[in-house]
Amino acid sequence: MRRIRPASFGAEPAGARLARILKSPNYDPEAGAFRNPVPAGIGPQPGGGSRGEMFRALLRRDGRKPAAPIPVQRPDLSAPPADGLRLTWLGHATVLAEIDGRRVLFDPVFGERCSPFSFAGPRRFHRVPLPLGELGPLDAVVISHDHYDHLDMSTVRELRKAVAPDVLFAVPLGVGAHLERWGVPRDRIAELDWNESTGAAGLTLTATPARHFCGRGIRNKQRTLWASWSVRGPEHRVFHSGDTGYFPGFAEIGADHGPFDAAMVQIGAYSEYWPDIHMTPEEGVRAHLDLRGGVLLPIHWGTFNLAPHRWEEPAERTAAAAAAADVRAAIPRPGEPFEPSAQTLPTTPWWQEIAAPERTPQARGGRKAAAKPSPATEQ
């Protein structure tokens, strides 16, 4: 079967890796899959529209891409961050975090498409701000889950071959099978269950729960885990949400691993057709408050067309929700570095200048979240 399975699909866990998965407290042996911390439906839910409506919404084009080129900034990272922590959003969920003299790359996707195929699938709206070969040294690569917009075979292979041959990959359970098929040695993979940790160059990397799902192949067996991540250095702490629906566990993560100096939180690719697995901007701000997240860096928007909402809507709604909740938020251009401790953060609404004009009412699928705060954030 492996001989006819495209390499980009990765590999299914087997042997000792599979045995460990089957023993995980987060694995449901009856369902034959990992379970979420709170039950989550993957597709349309009762009252949220049919699959036919979902596909029609996804085919609508109004406002789904920018009307002009996205202003990408080439970052100058030659000098270390003055306060020890600097974040550079490179598009979608890819972030380079410089933490207390160490460098961590989250969910690196440098390919032209987030797809198993080079000729089809969502294509990026903007160039990569900094080529992989110019990133400089890396101490860890952190992967949240195995979906194509978070785990890219060509990027992994280039990282392994030419950029950082000895870098440690920290991944959720099962994801190591993909990496091994793509040439990453087993001893350079730290494969973690939720609430397990590993070390890298003096950093503590902890896989924390998320509410999502997994899969790369047509017949995926749901045997790879998904995770959010806490990264703690000697002086600073950051959080990366990966993909997730809102759930009360963010408050527990904040209590156990926070407070954070900055939190990279998914706020895009949401829809009423999949409300359990991707947060709206308002839910992202709510999660940030639960996490005690410090400065909010919204991620998972702007680079690929993955949902029915307008291209600029995640940034616009996040800015409004953060202001209403008195949350310090940075919404930089792709490639624009910033230090969370800085007095002034990148907040210029650059996306407004290149958004397509509205021609029709908002396409169904641009879901709104309830404004009620979680119990953990009520005063």
PDB file of all heavy atoms in Angstrom, residues 102-132:
ATOM      1  N   ARG A 102      17.215  31.558  21.990  1.00  0.00           N
ATOM      2  CA  ARG A 102      16.903  30.356  21.219  1.00  0.00           C
ATOM      3  C   ARG A 102      15.915  30.724  20.118  1.00  0.00           C
ATOM      4  O   ARG A 102      15.241  31.746  20.194  1.00  0.00           O
ATOM      5  CB  ARG A 102      16.292  29.262  22.096  1.00  0.00           C
ATOM      6  CG  ARG A 102      17.267  28.624  23.075  1.00  0.00           C
ATOM      7  CD  ARG A 102      17.500  29.462  24.284  1.00  0.00           C
ATOM      8  NE  ARG A 102      18.171  28.728  25.361  1.00  0.00           N
ATOM      9  CZ  ARG A 102      18.585  29.285  26.481  1.00  0.00           C
ATOM     10  NH1 ARG A 102      18.406  30.594  26.702  1.00  0.00           N
ATOM     11  NH2 ARG A 102      19.173  28.559  27.408  1.00  0.00           N
ATOM     12  N   ARG A 103      15.807  29.849  19.119  1.00  0.00           N
ATOM     13  CA  ARG A 103      14.938  30.148  17.977  1.00  0.00           C
ATOM     14  C   ARG A 103      14.057  28.939  17.674  1.00  0.00           C
ATOM     15  O   ARG A 103      14.555  27.836  17.465  1.00  0.00           O
ATOM     16  CB  ARG A 103      15.776  30.533  16.757  1.00  0.00           C
ATOM     17  CG  ARG A 103      16.730  31.681  17.057  1.00  0.00           C
ATOM     18  CD  ARG A 103      17.648  31.983  15.889  1.00  0.00           C
ATOM     19  NE  ARG A 103      17.086  33.037  15.044  1.00  0.00           N
ATOM     20  CZ  ARG A 103      16.838  32.926  13.754  1.00  0.00           C
ATOM     21  NH1 ARG A 103      17.065  31.781  13.142  1.00  0.00           N
ATOM     22  NH2 ARG A 103      16.356  33.937  13.063  1.00  0.00           N
ATOM     23  N   VAL A 104      12.746  29.181  17.651  1.00  0.00           N
ATOM     24  CA  VAL A 104      11.753  28.122  17.442  1.00  0.00           C
ATOM     25  C   VAL A 104      10.884  28.501  16.246  1.00  0.00           C
ATOM     26  O   VAL A 104      10.382  29.626  16.162  1.00  0.00           O
ATOM     27  CB  VAL A 104      10.869  27.935  18.693  1.00  0.00           C
ATOM     28  CG1 VAL A 104       9.821  26.850  18.445  1.00  0.00           C
ATOM     29  CG2 VAL A 104      11.723  27.599  19.907  1.00  0.00           C
ATOM     30  N   LEU A 105      10.686  27.554  15.347  1.00  0.00           N
ATOM     31  CA  LEU A 105       9.843  27.764  14.176  1.00  0.00           C
ATOM     32  C   LEU A 105       8.573  26.936  14.332  1.00  0.00           C
ATOM     33  O   LEU A 105       8.628  25.714  14.457  1.00  0.00           O
ATOM     34  CB  LEU A 105      10.596  27.351  12.911  1.00  0.00           C
ATOM     35  CG  LEU A 105       9.918  27.631  11.573  1.00  0.00           C
ATOM     36  CD1 LEU A 105       9.684  29.126  11.373  1.00  0.00           C
ATOM     37  CD2 LEU A 105      10.757  27.063  10.425  1.00  0.00           C
ATOM     38  N   PHE A 106       7.430  27.618  14.345  1.00  0.00           N
ATOM     39  CA  PHE A 106       6.139  26.951  14.514  1.00  0.00           C
ATOM     40  C   PHE A 106       5.472  26.705  13.162  1.00  0.00           C
ATOM     41  O   PHE A 106       5.428  27.596  12.301  1.00  0.00           O
ATOM     42  CB  PHE A 106       5.192  27.814  15.357  1.00  0.00           C
ATOM     43  CG  PHE A 106       5.572  27.941  16.806  1.00  0.00           C
ATOM     44  CD1 PHE A 106       6.331  29.011  17.247  1.00  0.00           C
ATOM     45  CD2 PHE A 106       5.153  26.995  17.732  1.00  0.00           C
ATOM     46  CE1 PHE A 106       6.666  29.148  18.587  1.00  0.00           C
ATOM     47  CE2 PHE A 106       5.481  27.121  19.077  1.00  0.00           C
ATOM     48  CZ  PHE A 106       6.245  28.198  19.506  1.00  0.00           C
ATOM     49  N   ASP A 107       4.927  25.515  12.986  1.00  0.00           N
ATOM     50  CA  ASP A 107       4.096  25.141  11.832  1.00  0.00           C
ATOM     51  C   ASP A 107       4.629  25.707  10.509  1.00  0.00           C
ATOM     52  O   ASP A 107       3.931  26.455   9.812  1.00  0.00           O
ATOM     53  CB  ASP A 107       2.657  25.598  12.059  1.00  0.00           C
ATOM     54  CG  ASP A 107       1.896  24.657  12.987  1.00  0.00           C
ATOM     55  OD1 ASP A 107       2.478  23.657  13.441  1.00  0.00           O
ATOM     56  OD2 ASP A 107       0.711  24.921  13.259  1.00  0.00           O
ATOM     57  N   PRO A 108       5.850  25.358  10.134  1.00  0.00           N
ATOM     58  CA  PRO A 108       6.433  25.950   8.923  1.00  0.00           C
ATOM     59  C   PRO A 108       5.815  25.409   7.637  1.00  0.00           C
ATOM     60  O   PRO A 108       5.866  24.211   7.365  1.00  0.00           O
ATOM     61  CB  PRO A 108       7.910  25.555   9.024  1.00  0.00           C
ATOM     62  CG  PRO A 108       7.911  24.294   9.834  1.00  0.00           C
ATOM     63  CD  PRO A 108       6.789  24.447  10.820  1.00  0.00           C
ATOM     64  N   VAL A 109       5.216  26.299   6.873  1.00  0.00           N
ATOM     65  CA  VAL A 109       4.693  25.971   5.543  1.00  0.00           C
ATOM     66  C   VAL A 109       5.252  27.024   4.588  1.00  0.00           C
ATOM     67  O   VAL A 109       4.788  28.163   4.565  1.00  0.00           O
ATOM     68  CB  VAL A 109       3.153  25.957   5.519  1.00  0.00           C
ATOM     69  CG1 VAL A 109       2.639  25.759   4.095  1.00  0.00           C
ATOM     70  CG2 VAL A 109       2.613  24.850   6.426  1.00  0.00           C
ATOM     71  N   PHE A 110       6.255  26.636   3.813  1.00  0.00           N
ATOM     72  CA  PHE A 110       6.906  27.550   2.886  1.00  0.00           C
ATOM     73  C   PHE A 110       6.581  27.210   1.437  1.00  0.00           C
ATOM     74  O   PHE A 110       7.059  27.859   0.523  1.00  0.00           O
ATOM     75  CB  PHE A 110       8.424  27.526   3.101  1.00  0.00           C
ATOM     76  CG  PHE A 110       8.872  28.279   4.324  1.00  0.00           C
ATOM     77  CD1 PHE A 110       8.569  27.821   5.596  1.00  0.00           C
ATOM     78  CD2 PHE A 110       9.591  29.457   4.204  1.00  0.00           C
ATOM     79  CE1 PHE A 110       8.976  28.506   6.729  1.00  0.00           C
ATOM     80  CE2 PHE A 110      10.006  30.159   5.331  1.00  0.00           C
ATOM     81  CZ  PHE A 110       9.692  29.686   6.596  1.00  0.00           C
ATOM     82  N   GLY A 111       5.765  26.182   1.226  1.00  0.00           N
ATOM     83  CA  GLY A 111       5.386  25.789  -0.124  1.00  0.00           C
ATOM     84  C   GLY A 111       4.388  26.748  -0.739  1.00  0.00           C
ATOM     85  O   GLY A 111       3.772  27.574  -0.059  1.00  0.00           O
ATOM     86  N   GLU A 112       4.197  26.610  -2.043  1.00  0.00           N
ATOM     87  CA  GLU A 112       3.282  27.486  -2.776  1.00  0.00           C
ATOM     88  C   GLU A 112       1.826  27.137  -2.487  1.00  0.00           C
ATOM     89  O   GLU A 112       0.956  27.999  -2.528  1.00  0.00           O
ATOM     90  CB  GLU A 112       3.561  27.379  -4.279  1.00  0.00           C
ATOM     91  CG  GLU A 112       2.783  28.349  -5.142  1.00  0.00           C
ATOM     92  CD  GLU A 112       3.147  29.807  -4.907  1.00  0.00           C
ATOM     93  OE1 GLU A 112       4.225  30.074  -4.327  1.00  0.00           O
ATOM     94  OE2 GLU A 112       2.348  30.681  -5.297  1.00  0.00           O
ATOM     95  N   ARG A 113       1.560  25.873  -2.194  1.00  0.00           N
ATOM     96  CA  ARG A 113       0.190  25.432  -1.915  1.00  0.00           C
ATOM     97  C   ARG A 113       0.151  24.618  -0.624  1.00  0.00           C
ATOM     98  O   ARG A 113       1.120  23.930  -0.293  1.00  0.00           O
ATOM     99  CB  ARG A 113      -0.345  24.563  -3.059  1.00  0.00           C
ATOM    100  CG  ARG A 113      -0.438  25.255  -4.407  1.00  0.00           C
ATOM    101  CD  ARG A 113      -1.006  24.303  -5.446  1.00  0.00           C
ATOM    102  NE  ARG A 113      -0.969  24.846  -6.792  1.00  0.00           N
ATOM    103  CZ  ARG A 113      -1.931  25.597  -7.332  1.00  0.00           C
ATOM    104  NH1 ARG A 113      -3.012  25.873  -6.617  1.00  0.00           N
ATOM    105  NH2 ARG A 113      -1.823  26.056  -8.563  1.00  0.00           N
ATOM    106  N   CYS A 114      -0.982  24.669   0.076  1.00  0.00           N
ATOM    107  CA  CYS A 114      -1.174  23.754   1.204  1.00  0.00           C
ATOM    108  C   CYS A 114      -2.030  22.601   0.686  1.00  0.00           C
ATOM    109  O   CYS A 114      -3.254  22.607   0.758  1.00  0.00           O
ATOM    110  CB  CYS A 114      -1.798  24.457   2.407  1.00  0.00           C
ATOM    111  SG  CYS A 114      -3.352  25.324   2.116  1.00  0.00           S
ATOM    112  N   SER A 115      -1.349  21.616   0.144  1.00  0.00           N
ATOM    113  CA  SER A 115      -2.009  20.552  -0.599  1.00  0.00           C
ATOM    114  C   SER A 115      -1.034  19.394  -0.769  1.00  0.00           C
ATOM    115  O   SER A 115       0.187  19.602  -0.753  1.00  0.00           O
ATOM    116  CB  SER A 115      -2.431  21.085  -1.975  1.00  0.00           C
ATOM    117  OG  SER A 115      -2.775  20.039  -2.863  1.00  0.00           O
ATOM    118  N   PRO A 116      -1.539  18.187  -0.973  1.00  0.00           N
ATOM    119  CA  PRO A 116      -0.626  17.080  -1.271  1.00  0.00           C
ATOM    120  C   PRO A 116      -0.065  17.142  -2.685  1.00  0.00           C
ATOM    121  O   PRO A 116       0.854  16.399  -3.020  1.00  0.00           O
ATOM    122  CB  PRO A 116      -1.505  15.841  -1.084  1.00  0.00           C
ATOM    123  CG  PRO A 116      -2.893  16.311  -1.330  1.00  0.00           C
ATOM    124  CD  PRO A 116      -2.928  17.724  -0.819  1.00  0.00           C
ATOM    125  N   PHE A 117      -0.612  18.059  -3.508  1.00  0.00           N
ATOM    126  CA  PHE A 117      -0.211  18.124  -4.909  1.00  0.00           C
ATOM    127  C   PHE A 117       0.338  19.511  -5.251  1.00  0.00           C
ATOM    128  O   PHE A 117      -0.171  20.523  -4.773  1.00  0.00           O
ATOM    129  CB  PHE A 117      -1.395  17.798  -5.818  1.00  0.00           C
ATOM    130  CG  PHE A 117      -2.092  16.518  -5.453  1.00  0.00           C
ATOM    131  CD1 PHE A 117      -3.374  16.540  -4.915  1.00  0.00           C
ATOM    132  CD2 PHE A 117      -1.461  15.297  -5.618  1.00  0.00           C
ATOM    133  CE1 PHE A 117      -4.016  15.366  -4.568  1.00  0.00           C
ATOM    134  CE2 PHE A 117      -2.092  14.115  -5.266  1.00  0.00           C
ATOM    135  CZ  PHE A 117      -3.376  14.146  -4.740  1.00  0.00           C
ATOM    136  N   SER A 118       1.337  19.553  -6.111  1.00  0.00           N
ATOM    137  CA  SER A 118       1.944  20.829  -6.500  1.00  0.00           C
ATOM    138  C   SER A 118       1.100  21.600  -7.504  1.00  0.00           C
ATOM    139  O   SER A 118       1.306  22.798  -7.703  1.00  0.00           O
ATOM    140  CB  SER A 118       3.330  20.575  -7.103  1.00  0.00           C
ATOM    141  OG  SER A 118       3.223  19.766  -8.274  1.00  0.00           O
ATOM    142  N   PHE A 119       0.119  20.930  -8.126  1.00  0.00           N
ATOM    143  CA  PHE A 119      -0.655  21.544  -9.207  1.00  0.00           C
ATOM    144  C   PHE A 119      -2.083  21.896  -8.794  1.00  0.00           C
ATOM    145  O   PHE A 119      -2.848  22.440  -9.593  1.00  0.00           O
ATOM    146  CB  PHE A 119      -0.699  20.597 -10.413  1.00  0.00           C
ATOM    147  CG  PHE A 119      -1.236  19.225 -10.081  1.00  0.00           C
ATOM    148  CD1 PHE A 119      -2.598  18.959 -10.100  1.00  0.00           C
ATOM    149  CD2 PHE A 119      -0.368  18.200  -9.735  1.00  0.00           C
ATOM    150  CE1 PHE A 119      -3.089  17.707  -9.784  1.00  0.00           C
ATOM    151  CE2 PHE A 119      -0.850  16.931  -9.416  1.00  0.00           C
ATOM    152  CZ  PHE A 119      -2.212  16.687  -9.438  1.00  0.00           C
ATOM    153  N   ALA A 120      -2.473  21.587  -7.579  1.00  0.00           N
ATOM    154  CA  ALA A 120      -3.851  21.836  -7.152  1.00  0.00           C
ATOM    155  C   ALA A 120      -3.883  22.115  -5.660  1.00  0.00           C
ATOM    156  O   ALA A 120      -2.972  21.744  -4.922  1.00  0.00           O
ATOM    157  CB  ALA A 120      -4.735  20.633  -7.482  1.00  0.00           C
ATOM    158  N   GLY A 121      -4.961  22.771  -5.228  1.00  0.00           N
ATOM    159  CA  GLY A 121      -5.117  23.079  -3.814  1.00  0.00           C
ATOM    160  C   GLY A 121      -4.919  24.553  -3.539  1.00  0.00           C
ATOM    161  O   GLY A 121      -4.450  25.308  -4.403  1.00  0.00           O
ATOM    162  N   PRO A 122      -5.275  25.012  -2.343  1.00  0.00           N
ATOM    163  CA  PRO A 122      -5.174  26.435  -2.003  1.00  0.00           C
ATOM    164  C   PRO A 122      -3.760  26.978  -2.218  1.00  0.00           C
ATOM    165  O   PRO A 122      -2.785  26.426  -1.712  1.00  0.00           O
ATOM    166  CB  PRO A 122      -5.569  26.469  -0.522  1.00  0.00           C
ATOM    167  CG  PRO A 122      -6.424  25.257  -0.334  1.00  0.00           C
ATOM    168  CD  PRO A 122      -5.844  24.218  -1.236  1.00  0.00           C
ATOM    169  N   ARG A 123      -3.689  28.074  -2.954  1.00  0.00           N
ATOM    170  CA  ARG A 123      -2.408  28.691  -3.279  1.00  0.00           C
ATOM    171  C   ARG A 123      -2.216  29.949  -2.442  1.00  0.00           C
ATOM    172  O   ARG A 123      -3.170  30.692  -2.201  1.00  0.00           O
ATOM    173  CB  ARG A 123      -2.379  29.039  -4.770  1.00  0.00           C
ATOM    174  CG  ARG A 123      -1.024  29.438  -5.300  1.00  0.00           C
ATOM    175  CD  ARG A 123      -1.071  29.529  -6.815  1.00  0.00           C
ATOM    176  NE  ARG A 123       0.242  29.734  -7.381  1.00  0.00           N
ATOM    177  CZ  ARG A 123       0.509  29.692  -8.679  1.00  0.00           C
ATOM    178  NH1 ARG A 123      -0.479  29.458  -9.546  1.00  0.00           N
ATOM    179  NH2 ARG A 123       1.733  29.884  -9.116  1.00  0.00           N
ATOM    180  N   ARG A 124      -0.992  30.198  -2.025  1.00  0.00           N
ATOM    181  CA  ARG A 124      -0.754  31.329  -1.131  1.00  0.00           C
ATOM    182  C   ARG A 124      -1.002  32.661  -1.836  1.00  0.00           C
ATOM    183  O   ARG A 124      -0.765  32.801  -3.036  1.00  0.00           O
ATOM    184  CB  ARG A 124       0.642  31.278  -0.523  1.00  0.00           C
ATOM    185  CG  ARG A 124       1.796  31.326  -1.470  1.00  0.00           C
ATOM    186  CD  ARG A 124       3.143  31.492  -0.746  1.00  0.00           C
ATOM    187  NE  ARG A 124       3.399  30.507   0.283  1.00  0.00           N
ATOM    188  CZ  ARG A 124       3.457  30.781   1.591  1.00  0.00           C
ATOM    189  NH1 ARG A 124       3.275  32.020   2.016  1.00  0.00           N
ATOM    190  NH2 ARG A 124       3.713  29.841   2.463  1.00  0.00           N
ATOM    191  N   PHE A 125      -1.469  33.644  -1.054  1.00  0.00           N
ATOM    192  CA  PHE A 125      -1.748  34.981  -1.566  1.00  0.00           C
ATOM    193  C   PHE A 125      -0.507  35.868  -1.592  1.00  0.00           C
ATOM    194  O   PHE A 125      -0.516  36.919  -2.228  1.00  0.00           O
ATOM    195  CB  PHE A 125      -2.809  35.673  -0.696  1.00  0.00           C
ATOM    196  CG  PHE A 125      -4.188  35.097  -0.833  1.00  0.00           C
ATOM    197  CD1 PHE A 125      -4.954  34.861   0.298  1.00  0.00           C
ATOM    198  CD2 PHE A 125      -4.732  34.802  -2.067  1.00  0.00           C
ATOM    199  CE1 PHE A 125      -6.238  34.349   0.193  1.00  0.00           C
ATOM    200  CE2 PHE A 125      -6.010  34.287  -2.188  1.00  0.00           C
ATOM    201  CZ  PHE A 125      -6.768  34.059  -1.055  1.00  0.00           C
ATOM    202  N   HIS A 126       0.511  35.495  -0.868  1.00  0.00           N
ATOM    203  CA  HIS A 126       1.706  36.343  -0.797  1.00  0.00           C
ATOM    204  C   HIS A 126       2.949  35.469  -0.763  1.00  0.00           C
ATOM    205  O   HIS A 126       2.910  34.304  -0.372  1.00  0.00           O
ATOM    206  CB  HIS A 126       1.657  37.254   0.436  1.00  0.00           C
ATOM    207  CG  HIS A 126       1.646  36.517   1.747  1.00  0.00           C
ATOM    208  ND1 HIS A 126       2.794  36.027   2.346  1.00  0.00           N
ATOM    209  CD2 HIS A 126       0.625  36.179   2.578  1.00  0.00           C
ATOM    210  CE1 HIS A 126       2.474  35.429   3.481  1.00  0.00           C
ATOM    211  NE2 HIS A 126       1.166  35.499   3.648  1.00  0.00           N
ATOM    212  N   ARG A 127       4.047  36.047  -1.171  1.00  0.00           N
ATOM    213  CA  ARG A 127       5.311  35.318  -1.136  1.00  0.00           C
ATOM    214  C   ARG A 127       5.747  35.101   0.314  1.00  0.00           C
ATOM    215  O   ARG A 127       5.320  35.814   1.231  1.00  0.00           O
ATOM    216  CB  ARG A 127       6.386  36.087  -1.900  1.00  0.00           C
ATOM    217  CG  ARG A 127       6.706  37.453  -1.321  1.00  0.00           C
ATOM    218  CD  ARG A 127       7.823  38.146  -2.088  1.00  0.00           C
ATOM    219  NE  ARG A 127       8.031  39.516  -1.634  1.00  0.00           N
ATOM    220  CZ  ARG A 127       8.747  39.854  -0.576  1.00  0.00           C
ATOM    221  NH1 ARG A 127       9.333  38.913   0.151  1.00  0.00           N
ATOM    222  NH2 ARG A 127       8.883  41.121  -0.229  1.00  0.00           N
ATOM    223  N   VAL A 128       6.607  34.138   0.504  1.00  0.00           N
ATOM    224  CA  VAL A 128       7.176  33.907   1.829  1.00  0.00           C
ATOM    225  C   VAL A 128       8.093  35.085   2.162  1.00  0.00           C
ATOM    226  O   VAL A 128       8.942  35.462   1.351  1.00  0.00           O
ATOM    227  CB  VAL A 128       7.961  32.584   1.853  1.00  0.00           C
ATOM    228  CG1 VAL A 128       8.629  32.390   3.203  1.00  0.00           C
ATOM    229  CG2 VAL A 128       7.042  31.415   1.539  1.00  0.00           C
ATOM    230  N   PRO A 129       7.939  35.703   3.334  1.00  0.00           N
ATOM    231  CA  PRO A 129       8.751  36.884   3.649  1.00  0.00           C
ATOM    232  C   PRO A 129      10.251  36.628   3.676  1.00  0.00           C
ATOM    233  O   PRO A 129      11.037  37.519   3.349  1.00  0.00           O
ATOM    234  CB  PRO A 129       8.246  37.292   5.044  1.00  0.00           C
ATOM    235  CG  PRO A 129       6.863  36.741   5.117  1.00  0.00           C
ATOM    236  CD  PRO A 129       6.911  35.453   4.352  1.00  0.00           C
ATOM    237  N   LEU A 130      10.634  35.421   4.072  1.00  0.00           N
ATOM    238  CA  LEU A 130      12.053  35.096   4.176  1.00  0.00           C
ATOM    239  C   LEU A 130      12.244  33.655   3.727  1.00  0.00           C
ATOM    240  O   LEU A 130      11.624  32.749   4.278  1.00  0.00           O
ATOM    241  CB  LEU A 130      12.525  35.260   5.631  1.00  0.00           C
ATOM    242  CG  LEU A 130      14.032  35.298   5.886  1.00  0.00           C
ATOM    243  CD1 LEU A 130      14.655  36.528   5.229  1.00  0.00           C
ATOM    244  CD2 LEU A 130      14.310  35.306   7.385  1.00  0.00           C
ATOM    245  N   PRO A 131      13.079  33.413   2.715  1.00  0.00           N
ATOM    246  CA  PRO A 131      13.296  32.036   2.263  1.00  0.00           C
ATOM    247  C   PRO A 131      13.838  31.164   3.389  1.00  0.00           C
ATOM    248  O   PRO A 131      14.546  31.643   4.288  1.00  0.00           O
ATOM    249  CB  PRO A 131      14.327  32.193   1.138  1.00  0.00           C
ATOM    250  CG  PRO A 131      14.205  33.613   0.690  1.00  0.00           C
ATOM    251  CD  PRO A 131      13.830  34.393   1.911  1.00  0.00           C
ATOM    252  N   LEU A 132      13.520  29.889   3.328  1.00  0.00           N
ATOM    253  CA  LEU A 132      13.972  28.967   4.369  1.00  0.00           C
ATOM    254  C   LEU A 132      15.475  29.036   4.579  1.00  0.00           C
ATOM    255  O   LEU A 132      15.963  29.016   5.708  1.00  0.00           O
ATOM    256  CB  LEU A 132      13.583  27.534   3.991  1.00  0.00           C
ATOM    257  CG  LEU A 132      12.317  26.955   4.604  1.00  0.00           C
ATOM    258  CD1 LEU A 132      12.075  25.556   4.071  1.00  0.00           C
ATOM    259  CD2 LEU A 132      12.393  26.939   6.120  1.00  0.00           C
TER     260      LEU A 132
END
